[in-house]
Amino acid sequence: MIKKFIDKLLGKSAGGAQGKSRFGKRQEVPAEVHKIDPALVDERARNVVTTLQQAGYEAYVVGGAVRDLLLGLRPKDFDVATNATPEQVKSLFRRAFIIGRRFRIVHVVYGRGREHEVIEVSTFRAYMDNAAAEQVAGNERTSKGELASMKHAVDASGRVLRDNVWGPQEEDAARRDFTVNAMYYDPANQIVVDYHNGIRDAQKLTLRMIGDPATRYREDPVRIIRAIRFSAKLAALGFKMEAKTAAPLVESSKLLADVPQSRLFDEMLKLLQTGHAIATVEQLRKLGLVTGIYPLLDVVVERADSPFVKAALQDTDRRVGEGKPVAPSFLLACVLWADVRDGWAQRVEGRHGQRPQPPFPALQDAIDDVFNARIGDVSGRGKLAADMREIWMMQPRFDKRTGSTPYSLVDQARFRAAFDFMRLRADVGEVSEAIAEWWQEFSTADDVRQQDLLEQVRDEQKTRQRVRTRDPVAPKPSRGEPAARQRQPDAESRQDDEAEIEVDAGAMPPDGEAAAPRKRRRRRKPRTAGGGGGGSGGEGGGSAAAE
């Protein structure tokens, strides 16, 4: 009793207990117990591990890939952990690049173009006590010069700004977030190294934070978003977040205010583009985090039940599940379309005492307002903003199915994205289903069939013109379109909508601002044999998420 009391005063028992719980106990689990199928391991990840081991280093497949392998799933991404430094790793591979400042890692690249694969290689990191870390008063941006020479630094709130101190494997395991993500698999001898009962938690379908959850969220608030992402991803398999891990989430979410907006934007896209967007919205609501993570994510959650946004989220999940590429520009364009559409209609119709504007300038101004209010400078005015603008600016052009407009439209680089956006609008009744079907056929037809389709439109217009001559009652505007656009005379009688004044969506300045409308002479575009297929695969809908 006296010895225990003295040990307590000297901090021995506390330190020992803390060390035991912090670093855990190494367990080497053989293949007959974990039952991982070696055939599920990516050959390029295996090659990275083998190359490092042959050079005399320790190397393992690590993280979520091991978790998925234990569950009998084929991982989409493979990470490798080693005791080699980034410079030593880079020297062993022909195409390897050191990236990052906060966490320096190496990307080993295989293949080129869309088919390339990146194996991320990290060095075992030491478990550093934040109390012993160097502290800066500002953040990454304001303290950039001060942080340049630091290996382990935190800000005033305890958030880790630098963590590049190398250490043994057991300490590397302790600094990972969840137990099911802290296991190491050696494909050579097929053992799993487990320090924190990750295999047990995987079997019990439990998502549990290593260490004290509140402390871990404070070290890196982005772990809050990772907790949401993993719980959404694993919910379909029956995983549930441990109560102690979930309890501090709402209170800790305030710490996200100190995280750079660009990093939060990237993490938001991961939530929505990993194939579990619908499940993510459900988890955010379940955990009480419908607001406060990131303003644009708040909009997604708010509109997730609306038919158009729900269809876009479901379509994104479907494409990811089928192994097809997705683009953030398409999904964000869907989420913010209601703002663009309403602002467009307001300007065209001259609501609230405003002077009515022509359709295209009105659409441009509405888009500018949405970018300023919802996107800001996080994505700059670069490719993402330019792609969103093109998708929106092409929407009124789908109403013009005469002259050279259909030919020029299907040749636009973003036609497939814009068409699939319009296809979703048709699915929810915002656009005529007949128009969507016409464009689907026109974009994949040969020259003869395209001419037939154009003749069909001209015949329909002549029929409508005769009907209007007998009954001059204006047609009722279709849902979702500005009323002033519906009051425009027939395209033939107005020389294809004011002599085809339109925005060339492919001529965007570098800053993403739309070019001014310009007048073009109408002429028939020469067609080559077999031309006219502007889509990327001719899929009937949903292929728009591809870049």
Side-chain angles (χ1 to χ4, degrees):
M1 179 70 72
I2 295 176
K3 184 178 184 300
K4 288 182 179 180
F5 178 71
I6 294 174
D7 286 344
K8 186 175 181 180
L9 288 177
L10 295 176
K12 290 184 179 180
S13 60
Q18 188 178 18
K20 183 178 179 181
S21 63
R22 175 179 293 178
F23 301 132
K25 180 181 178 181
R26 180 184 175 98
Q27 302 176 60
E28 293 188 359
V29 184
E32 57 268 23
V33 176
H34 62 65
K35 295 182 173 57
I36 287 178
D37 181 0
L40 296 176
V41 180
D42 183 270
E43 189 60 35
R44 285 159 286 201
R46 190 191 304 273
N47 178 264
V48 171
V49 171
T50 301
T51 301
L52 287 164
Q53 290 177 343
Q54 289 176 346
Y57 302 109
E58 295 179 63
Y60 301 84
V61 174
V62 69
V66 183
R67 178 200 65 223
D68 290 348
L69 289 169
L70 283 169
L71 297 172
L73 306 175
R74 185 180 296 276
K76 293 183 178 179
D77 300 300
F78 282 83
D79 297 336
V80 170
T82 177
N83 61 348
T85 65
E87 290 77 13
Q88 291 169 334
V89 173
K90 186 178 186 300
S91 68
L92 295 173
F93 300 93
R94 185 172 62 86
R95 297 181 64 207
F97 309 91
I98 298 176
I99 67 167
R101 291 187 297 270
R102 185 168 178 265
F103 299 113
R104 294 179 69 230
I105 59 177
V106 179
H107 278 180
V108 179
V109 182
Y110 290 88
R112 297 185 182 276
R114 287 186 179 273
E115 302 303 319
H116 83 284
E117 180 179 356
V118 174
I119 305 298
E120 189 172 287
V121 184
S122 61
T123 303
F124 294 152
R125 285 174 170 79
Y127 191 104
M128 302 292 290
D129 189 342
N130 285 355
E134 297 178 273
Q135 191 172 92
V136 297
N139 55 32
E140 293 95 324
R141 182 175 298 177
T142 60
S143 307
K144 188 174 181 180
E146 189 178 357
L147 288 167
S149 61
M150 296 181 180
K151 290 187 175 181
H152 185 225
V154 298
D155 65 11
S157 68
R159 181 166 64 95
V160 179
L161 302 181
R162 289 290 185 275
D163 188 2
N164 292 303
V165 182
W166 320 132
Q169 185 185 44
E170 61 267 22
E171 294 188 25
D172 184 75
R175 57 168 297 282
R176 294 181 179 272
D177 44 23
F178 302 100
T179 59
V180 294
N181 292 341
M183 294 176 284
Y184 305 78
Y185 176 63
D186 183 348
N189 56 31
Q190 298 185 35
I191 66 164
V192 171
V193 179
D194 184 6
Y195 289 92
H196 300 281
N197 297 312
I199 291 181
R200 182 192 66 186
D201 286 345
Q203 293 171 341
K204 296 173 68 173
L205 304 179
T206 299
L207 190 62
R208 178 169 62 89
M209 180 71 71
I210 297 172
D212 175 58
T215 301
R216 304 307 303 279
Y217 295 141
R218 187 164 56 252
E219 290 172 353
D220 184 4
V222 170
R223 285 193 177 116
I224 297 167
I225 303 177
R226 285 170 59 83
I228 296 165
R229 177 153 55 91
F230 288 129
S231 63
K233 177 179 179 178
L234 300 174
L237 300 175
F239 273 77
K240 297 188 182 301
M241 193 180 298
E242 181 202 36
K244 291 181 180 179
T245 300
L249 282 173
V250 174
E251 181 64 25
S252 299
S253 64
K254 300 173 184 176
L255 299 169
L256 290 168
D258 296 325
V259 177
Q261 292 293 293
S262 58
R263 190 179 178 204
L264 288 179
F265 185 81
D266 291 341
E267 291 294 333
M268 176 198 71
L269 294 182
K270 290 180 183 178
L271 284 177
L272 301 176
Q273 290 189 235
T274 53
H276 310 281
I278 296 294
T280 293
V281 172
E282 293 175 358
Q283 286 296 316
L284 287 167
R285 291 170 174 169
K286 180 179 177 181
L287 296 169
L289 292 167
V290 292
T291 60
I293 299 291
Y294 186 70
L296 194 51
L297 183 60
D298 296 347
V299 178
V300 175
V301 178
E302 177 188 343
R303 299 178 179 178
D305 292 331
S306 67
F308 187 60
V309 175
K310 186 175 182 178
L313 293 173
Q314 290 173 334
D315 187 67
T316 299
D317 286 351
R318 176 188 64 81
R319 288 186 58 80
V320 174
E322 294 174 356
K324 296 178 180 178
V326 294
S329 55
F330 181 82
L331 182 57
L332 294 182
C334 291
V335 171
L336 298 179
W337 171 241
D339 295 338
V340 172
R341 182 192 62 210
D342 293 347
W344 182 24
Q346 179 177 318
R347 286 169 172 78
V348 168
E349 297 170 9
R351 299 177 190 167
H352 309 300
Q354 293 183 350
R355 184 177 180 179
Q357 293 180 251
F360 276 101
L363 180 54
Q364 290 174 324
D365 289 347
I367 291 171
D368 288 339
D369 284 352
V370 171
F371 278 145
N372 293 333
R374 300 293 196 185
I375 301 292
D377 294 328
V378 172
S379 66
R381 295 292 189 181
K383 188 176 188 307
L384 182 141
D387 288 349
M388 293 172 65
R389 184 183 294 274
E390 287 188 52
I391 290 171
W392 288 329
M393 291 299 297
M394 285 188 195
Q395 296 310 300
R397 297 180 66 187
F398 284 110
D399 291 337
K400 298 173 63 175
R401 295 178 290 157
T402 57
S404 64
T405 296
Y407 293 113
S408 62
L409 191 56
V410 297
D411 284 338
Q412 293 288 341
R414 298 294 295 170
F415 167 77
R416 179 53 57 178
F419 167 76
D420 288 335
F421 186 92
M422 186 266 289
R423 173 81 259 180
L424 284 181
R425 294 174 63 205
D427 290 344
V428 299
E430 189 176 302
V431 176
S432 166
E433 185 72 24
I435 291 179
E437 292 176 355
W438 188 93
W439 278 102
Q440 171 63 32
E441 186 172 2
F442 185 87
S443 67
T444 58
D446 59 23
D447 286 351
V448 174
R449 180 55 183 158
Q450 286 179 338
Q451 288 292 335
D452 290 343
L453 290 168
L454 291 173
E455 288 292 341
Q456 172 189 321
V457 172
R458 281 193 284 270
D459 291 343
E460 292 174 355
Q461 289 178 342
K462 290 177 181 178
T463 300
R464 286 197 300 268
Q465 184 65 35
R466 286 195 295 268
V467 171
R468 280 199 295 269
T469 301
R470 292 194 298 269
D471 183 9
V473 177
K476 184 178 179 181
S478 63
R479 178 183 169 191
E481 293 289 348
R485 294 193 68 251
Q486 302 296 329
R487 293 195 295 269
Q488 298 294 326
D490 180 81
E492 288 286 327
S493 63
R494 288 289 304 275
Q495 288 295 310
D496 237 358
D497 287 338
E498 301 177 4
E500 204 165 354
I501 296 177
E502 60 185 47
V503 173
D504 185 357
M508 296 292 174
D511 62 355
E513 296 294 336
R518 58 191 179 90
K519 184 173 294 187
R520 302 197 307 187
R521 296 174 63 87
R522 292 187 67 241
R523 59 185 177 83
R524 176 62 53 82
K525 182 176 179 180
R527 307 298 296 168
T528 58
S536 57
E539 188 171 308
S543 64
E547 282 283 33

